[in-house]
Each structure stands twice: as C-alpha cells, then as structure tokens.
Amino acid sequence: MGRREKGPFVVAVDGPAASGKGTVASSLARDLGLPYLDTGLLYRAVGVLMQRAGQDFNDVPAAACQALMITADVLDDPGLRTRAAGEAASRVATHPQVRERLLEFQQTFASQDQGSVLDGRDIGTVIAPHAPAKLYVTASPEVRAERRWRQLTGQGEQVSLEDVLADIRKRDERDGGREAAPMRAAADAVLLDTSEMTIDQAADAARRIVEAARARWEASR
Ligand code: DC
C-alpha cells in the first residue's frame, strides 16, 4: 500500500444532537490549542437566513444560494442557537447542493497546518475522512433531550421536555436517514457514550482518546 502524505492533525467529532459533542470538541480544542469549528452553525445559518428571507426550506436553489453567502462572521449570531434554528438546519442539511457549497469552507478550515477540531455529523466520513483522530459522541435520546431542554430553557425558551425529546427523535431520523452524507460513525471512529458521564468525565475520556491518536500520528511521521 502506498504511503499517503501526512496531513495536519485534525480531530473529527461527530454525533447526534445534544450528545455532548460540542462541549467535548470545544474542550479538546482549548486543551490542544487548536482552532475549532462547530459545523452545525453553518447549516443553522443557512436555515436562519432562509427563515428571515421568508423562503421555503424546500426551495433548493434558494438554500444553495444562502449557503454560498455563509462567512465566518455570521456564525456568532445568537439567533443560531434556538430550537427553531436547529430544526431549520436539519431540513436544509438534507439538500446535497447545500452540503456541497459548505464543503469548501469546512475543508479549508480542516487543512490549516497547525491542526484543527471540527464537530458535526459527517466530519469523519466526508469532510475529513483522513483525520488522524475521530470520535463519535453519543448518548441516549432521553439524556440528550434533558440536556437540550436545560440549555433552551436557560436561554429563555418556553418548551416542554416532551417536545424536546420528540424534536431529538425526529432529528435523529432525518439526519441519519437522509441520502446526502447521513449522520454515521466512521469505521475508524472511537465511540464515546456520554449518557452516564458528567461534562468533565466526557472531556477527560475524549482527551485520552485523542492523546492516543496523537501518539500514533506522531509515531508514523
Ligand atoms: O449540531 P447541530 O445541532 O448544531 O446541527 C444542526 C443540524 O445541522 C443537524 O440536525 C444536521 C445538520 N448538520 C449536518 O447535517 N452536518 C454537519 N456536519 C453538522 C450539522
């Protein structure tokens, strides 16, 4: 087998909504001193821009056009963190044309020489399939619903736990069942089930997984 030229140290963190992947990924990025991209924000931005423009999420050309407009500075908008933005993101993310237009942004981020941490649904499978460290972070739907409910009510949203659980199940089905880059653990990803873990325990477990991957990556240089 030919040797592939070695790329930067990319950490790919995938998993379903509210699994803890964002917390794990941002804590890894801080510890490793690496830039971090929450790729869900890109899809959320497309959904929110469409909503604000009064566009239909099924209007593929309009969605693709919004995806082309996404730049790093739109990602700080607190409006991207709402329940409606998550739902909008999951809908626009089913369009291959949207995914294609967001691919370059993500791959450019992942190609920085210093390395990077990205979290999403298809980082280890599509965006950075050669990432030296891959994690698939998961947790039971009930635990994830409770976490998301706390986050949303903490932001001032009025929503019941039952409705958040229903959202989570619907999103799992849509994100995992779509044809374009469905949410899936890469064959070489390490599974991390955070159902019974605190934030600190999950971050510690992730750090150990990434340290082992880094040692293997260094050794093969
Ligand atoms: O991680 P999140 O909840 O912010 O993601 C919102 C939606 O965006 C998610 O339901 C599916 C979509 N998404 C995606 O399809 N691919 C990614 N890499 C990240 C998010």
Side-chain angles (χ1 to χ4, degrees), residues 201-220:
Q201 287 168 335
D204 274 353
R207 195 173 309 118
R208 282 194 297 274
I209 294 166
V210 172
E211 275 167 8
R214 182 140 201 159
R216 281 196 301 277
W217 180 76
E218 299 277 358
S220 68

Side-chain angles (χ1 to χ4, degrees), residues 11-119:
V11 181
V13 183
D14 288 303
S19 58
K21 66 180 187 311
T23 310
V24 159
S26 57
S27 127
L28 284 171
R30 227 179 5 256
D31 287 352
L32 296 164
L34 294 178
Y36 163 54
L37 179 64
D38 169 354
T39 66
L41 289 177
L42 301 171
Y43 295 92
R44 286 171 179 258
V46 173
V48 167
L49 289 176
M50 290 192 81
Q51 234 163 8
R52 288 179 186 161
Q55 293 166 326
D56 184 329
F57 297 133
N58 295 321
D59 182 345
V60 176
C65 191
Q66 294 289 9
L68 275 181
M69 318 278 275
I70 302 299
T71 55
D73 36 288
V74 303
L75 306 182
D76 293 329
D77 183 341
L80 305 186
R81 311 258 171 202
T82 65
R83 179 176 171 218
E87 171 67 15
S90 172
R91 298 205 32 203
V92 300
T94 60
H95 304 316
Q97 294 86 338
V98 168
R99 308 198 69 84
E100 233 166 72
R101 285 175 181 63
L102 296 177
L103 186 81
E104 191 182 324
F105 186 104
Q106 296 171 82
Q107 290 189 328
T108 302
F109 192 90
S111 68
Q112 300 175 75
D113 283 342
Q114 61 183 306
S116 53
V117 180
L118 291 88
D119 83 49

Side-chain angles (χ1 to χ4, degrees), residues 88-168:
S90 172
R91 298 205 32 203
V92 300
T94 60
H95 304 316
Q97 294 86 338
V98 168
R99 308 198 69 84
E100 233 166 72
R101 285 175 181 63
L102 296 177
L103 186 81
E104 191 182 324
F105 186 104
Q106 296 171 82
Q107 290 189 328
T108 302
F109 192 90
S111 68
Q112 300 175 75
D113 283 342
Q114 61 183 306
S116 53
V117 180
L118 291 88
D119 83 49
R121 302 289 187 292
D122 62 342
I123 309 303
T125 50
V126 175
I127 305 298
H130 303 303
K134 294 185 189 176
L135 276 99
Y136 192 82
V137 183
T138 181
S140 71
E142 291 74 16
V143 167
R144 291 190 281 126
E146 176 145 4
R147 287 177 185 161
R148 183 50 53 89
W149 178 76
R150 282 186 197 286
Q151 181 202 348
L152 291 171
T153 50
Q155 287 169 194
E157 282 205 43
Q158 301 277 329
V159 60
S160 72
L161 181 57
E162 292 70 38
D163 284 350
V164 177
L165 179 58
D167 277 1
I168 292 256

